[in-house]
Amino acid sequence: MQVTTVHHAPAGTDHTVIGAASGLLGQYRAAPDEAFFASPTRTLLAEGVHARVPQDGRPLAERVAGTLDRARRDGVEHPLVVGAVAFDHDSRAELAVPARLRSCGALRDDPLIALPAPAADRIDWTVRPVPVPEAYGAGVAEAVHRLRGGELSKVVLARTLELHADRPLDLPAILQRLARRDPGGYTFGVPAGGGRTLIGASPELLLSRRGTAVTANPLAGSVPRSADLGEDVRRAAALLESPKDLHEHAFVVDAIRAALAPHCRTLDVPERPTLVRTAAMWHLATTITAELADPAVSALELAVALHPTPAVCGSPTPLAREAIREIEPFDRGLYAGMVGWGDADGDGEWVVTLRCAEADERTLRVFAGAGVVAESRPEAELAETSAKFRTFLDAAGVPR
């Protein structure tokens, strides 16, 4: 089998060519053996499958390392895996070594990304919320009851919208609209198994590794943007001072610090969060940087050690997982897992799978979640998830 791979450029190399990144975005077709991933550092288009990571009982990092090692022995010069890992990373991973990989600079550095995306088709949508809003609010109230009883510190509760279209969906066009709306974020379209596609635009880096340099950028604590500039600034300033949101954010940062510390020679954690904005939301964010003690520890191993963080699960993790299973009336699948790439040298970028949908020819299953703490109100968490839905719904052309 002839394998052609193009590895990402080494650190310090200027690999930005005008039109290259937007060109790869435009060539994505959402085929079952095709994956697209864009980050603030690179754009990848993977085509065909050289090897799939097996679905068996071994730890995920072990399965990936074995697959990459075999690919290297097969003659793949710089093998990497690309794809998605489920919320329960021991149960499911849709990862593959591509037969062909094209790589270039970041979308945000390509001036052509500012060109308008194709307009959304006029589609007659049927929308089914799971659970219905009243049931979601009751779930939040139940979680608050447990939190105030001291059982939990935080739990993240999600809901879904199941959308059915009256005609086939243009998934590449949806991805174009997601990418062009927030070109500095993390945009992805990867196989989800069973002929489905996982498509989305996440604002949150779980972990990246280049050599021994490690970065994590947890987000927790959010507020919807406003079309009015003054109100938008007021909301951002209020978020930075919100005791409830700062409390929620601190859970996530502390958990990531504790998970990374055993692997790192140095670890830098800022004392206070800053703000990150997307087209739809303001988020509290902390950029954590570290230097690995052992360069043999891969990005994927570190990501698995972190995942799931309190940003998508809760704290303490085992009790939060149990509460999610009891309260949420659906299987999260790939939502709130991680999506990205990792290579045979241990480098990689793994992103929290947010602002996304699992899609097939005529259906979308869109996800959104909110962090619930003791001070949470059901109506506020319902409004937050509704705002988070809009990132994907706007890209799909679903009316407000």
Side-chain angles (χ1 to χ4, degrees), residues 3 5 7 71-72 75-79:
V3 178
T5 59
H7 194 48
R72 182 173 269 169
V76 180
E77 188 176 353
H78 294 289

Side-chain angles (χ1 to χ4, degrees), residues 75-158:
V76 180
E77 188 176 353
H78 294 289
L80 59 74
V81 295
V82 61
V85 178
F87 175 69
D88 181 358
H89 56 71
D90 290 327
S91 68
R92 181 178 164 207
E94 301 290 342
L95 297 170
V97 178
R100 183 171 182 238
L101 178 70
R102 287 183 281 168
S103 173
C104 65
L107 282 174
R108 67 178 181 182
D109 296 329
D110 183 349
L112 299 188
I113 200 63
L115 295 175
D121 294 333
R122 286 186 166 277
I123 292 176
D124 185 11
W125 295 97
T126 301
V127 182
R128 174 176 173 260
V130 180
V132 297
E134 295 79 8
Y136 180 76
V140 172
E142 168 62 21
V144 168
H145 175 73
R146 298 187 188 194
L147 288 155
R148 291 178 177 173
E151 182 180 346
L152 291 162
S153 300
K154 175 184 175 180
V155 63
V156 179
L157 293 181

